[in-house]
Amino acid sequence: MLDLLIRNATLPDGREGIDIAVRDGRIAEIGRGVDAPARETLTLDGWLVTPPFVDPHFHLDSTLSAGRPRANRSGTLLEGIEIWGDLAPTLTAEDVKHRARELCHWSIARGCLAIRSHVDVTDDSLMAVDALLELRRELAPWIDLQLVAFPQSGFYRHRSAPDNVVRALDRGVDVVGGIPHFERTTEDGAASVKALCEIAAERGLLVDLHCDETDDPNSRHVETLARETERLGLQGRVVGSHLSSMHSMDNYYVSKLLPLLQEAALTAIANPLINIALQGRCDTYPKRRGMTRVKEMIAAGIPVALGHDCVMDPWYGLGSHDMLEVAHMAAHVGHMTGVDEMQALFAGVTTTAATALHLEGYGLEPGCHADLVVLQARDPVEAIRLRATRLHVLRRGAVIARTAPEEVSLDLGDTRRKVDFLGGRATTGG
Ligand code: FE2
């Protein structure tokens, strides 16, 4: 007896009329014409079923704090850093947990069931680390949280950061973080990359550095990150987040850099919402976009995932943690509106992101966790176009979030109709 049978789904690879059998929280069978008794059946109208969205780059400690202690009037990175500097010392564990929990609830509602969150380890008490470790345990039945020890004020620039990174990892933080472009000198930045990768290699951990999040084309720490990845045998375990400087680099240098990243099996994470908002602020016109070279990296065989980075915090006052909004922005900022390109962006907020996080049991194969999202769309491009409604969100085969289908009724004199925004499929009626 199955626990659940989902009927008539469309999959992201285009297969239609697919049934998904679920037993003991995992996918038992997936294909056409699955016929077995089930306790529950969910019959779809050919809607797109995808493994859940994954946010590979976020900051849970600062989320939903916008306006505290004051609003970011200029909207700039620098004013955001100033505000965070004033706010962080006043935070309590309860406050951090409350805001992060709320964000996770938004995330689940949007069908995102895994978040990698950087957590600032500048504060010697590691209060936010402990708060988010507790929240990770509390929410484990519903969402996977992965934490990155992030020395936000610099690994060498802030006196206690080297100790605090190690202490955070000792307490159970999963991933080694860093911010080489924020160190005092380029040399310190490169040394921090080396030291952080060595810590990860010794402990068998993953690495995810905020790397070159600047408009300065001479910020080239990703080169060192690729080198250290090779030297320490960390291929496939290292992420360079942001990589914004690549946008401004000389093309000849990029033609040398991309093969280095590919050789090191590095994954890039772009954060299109935040980088289009924060980069290029010192430019007049034309203004640079500031997002890393997503299209070119994908063409070079480098995995690229997409992160939300911030929702309503000192750096970014917008967002509702919708990973389709992230992919939608990436399509625009990266000139990636070709059909295959948009498919790749959909993968950037699902499968590629899951691979970067080394998530276990993720996917649509038999044996994978029955973690699924039913979208009010027929394919990934339509999902991005509409930022489609998440009709059902399933975790281990149980529906944990529902949203009513979007339906708009027009009343224009003699013309009354429903508009559902599914191109060519709008219905008419009296
Ligand atoms: Fe970030």
Side-chain angles (χ1 to χ4, degrees):
M1 173 76 83
L2 299 173
D3 297 319
L4 173 68
L5 181 58
I6 300 173
R7 288 202 172 282
N8 193 20
T10 301
L11 303 186
D13 64 9
R15 281 181 288 162
E16 295 178 343
I18 299 297
D19 303 326
I20 305 170
V22 175
R23 190 183 296 117
D24 298 331
R26 292 191 183 255
I27 296 173
E29 196 181 343
I30 180 163
R32 284 206 180 85
V34 176
D35 195 18
R39 281 190 193 88
E40 235 183 291
T41 302
L42 182 60
T43 302
L44 307 178
D45 188 18
W47 296 128
L48 179 64
V49 174
T50 173
F53 297 109
V54 174
D55 184 353
H57 187 111
F58 197 72
H59 295 263
L60 281 171
D61 49 2
S62 55
T63 194
L64 304 185
S65 67
R68 293 172 49 192
R70 60 186 181 280
N72 186 334
R73 294 278 161 205
S74 64
T76 59
L77 175 65
L78 288 180
E79 189 175 344
I81 290 171
E82 233 173 73
I83 293 170
W84 178 244
D86 291 345
L87 178 63
T90 70
L91 296 177
T92 64
E94 271 320 300
D95 177 52
V96 171
K97 266 201 286 188
H98 176 75
R99 288 183 288 99
R101 186 186 295 112
E102 182 69 10
L103 189 284
C104 288
H105 290 175
W106 291 12
S107 181
I108 291 165
R110 296 291 197 198
C112 178
L113 299 186
I115 300 175
R116 173 182 280 181
S117 174
H118 297 253
V119 49
D120 190 354
V121 298
T122 300
D123 157 36
D124 290 343
S125 78
L126 298 183
M127 175 274 293
V129 168
D130 289 337
L132 292 179
L133 284 169
E134 271 182 49
L135 192 71
R136 185 179 72 180
R137 279 191 293 274
E138 177 194 319
L139 296 181
W142 301 288
I143 186 168
D144 297 308
L145 297 182
Q146 202 175 74
L147 301 177
V148 185
F150 179 39
Q152 189 152 354
S153 305
F155 185 70
Y156 289 128
R157 192 167 170 178
H158 184 75
R159 188 189 300 255
S160 53
D163 278 347
N164 289 356
V165 166
V166 169
R167 288 169 58 225
L169 297 172
D170 286 343
R171 291 186 190 197
V173 166
D174 312 90
V175 181
V176 179
I179 184 162
H181 58 275
F182 194 69
E183 304 294 346
R184 288 192 181 90
T185 63
T186 300
E187 290 72 21
D188 278 1
S192 78
V193 172
K194 187 165 180 279
L196 291 162
C197 286
E198 284 174 355
I199 291 170
E202 272 162 29
R203 291 171 170 248
L205 297 175
L206 305 177
V207 177
D208 188 338
L209 305 188
H210 281 67
C211 197
D212 305 322
E213 188 184 2
T214 160
D215 293 320
D216 174 7
N218 298 312
S219 187
R220 294 178 171 187
H221 293 295
V222 68
E223 186 184 73
T224 307
L225 185 60
R227 177 72 189 102
E228 290 303 309
T229 302
E230 289 262 12
R231 185 177 71 84
L232 296 164
L234 291 170
Q235 290 91 337
R237 306 176 61 77
V238 175
V239 163
S241 276
H242 289 286
L243 307 183
S244 316
S245 69
M246 199 191 292
H247 184 96
S248 302
M249 283 171 181
D250 169 71
N251 287 337
Y252 179 78
Y253 174 68
V254 172
S255 75
K256 177 204 164 193
L257 178 63
L258 295 190
L260 296 180
L261 307 190
Q262 200 265 339
E263 275 171 37
L266 215 80
T267 295
I269 293 179
N271 296 292
L273 291 166
I274 302 320
N275 287 141
I276 195 67
L278 294 183
Q279 305 307 130
R281 286 271 178 162
C282 295
D283 292 358
T284 56
Y285 286 94
K287 289 177 189 284
R288 285 168 290 176
R289 297 172 180 217
M291 186 174 79
T292 191
R293 301 195 190 197
V294 174
K295 188 198 289 245
E296 291 74 11
M297 282 195 280
I298 290 174
I302 298 160
V304 182
L306 306 171
H308 207 303
D309 201 4
C310 305
V311 170
M312 295 181 70
D313 68 10
W315 296 277
Y316 185 68
L318 301 171
S320 65
H321 208 255
D322 180 350
M323 296 309 294
L324 284 172
E325 195 178 329
V326 174
H328 189 265
M329 180 59 83
H332 292 78
V333 179
H335 285 155
M336 292 182 68
T337 48
V339 172
D340 291 346
E341 293 170 337
M342 287 192 279
Q343 294 272 3
L345 296 176
F346 190 83
V349 292
T350 53
T351 50
T352 310
T355 303
L357 268 62
H358 289 223
L359 290 182
E360 182 272 326
Y362 180 93
L364 292 175
E365 306 299 319
C368 290
H369 291 301
D371 295 353
L372 302 164
V373 179
V374 181
L375 292 159
Q376 193 184 5
R378 311 283 173 169
D379 59 59
V381 172
E382 194 164 69
I384 292 173
R385 177 173 70 84
L386 298 172
R387 274 83 82 218
T389 301
R390 285 69 167 167
L391 299 170
H392 304 278
V393 179
L394 290 90
R395 175 80 163 176
R396 309 299 194 246
V399 176
I400 60 169
R402 286 180 191 81
T403 308
E406 183 179 33
E407 190 179 276
V408 181
S409 298
L410 289 185
D411 193 347
L412 309 175
D414 290 342
T415 303
R416 288 187 197 169
R417 56 175 301 198
K418 290 194 165 90
V419 178
D420 64 7
F421 301 105
L422 297 166
R425 286 187 282 265
T427 55
T428 58

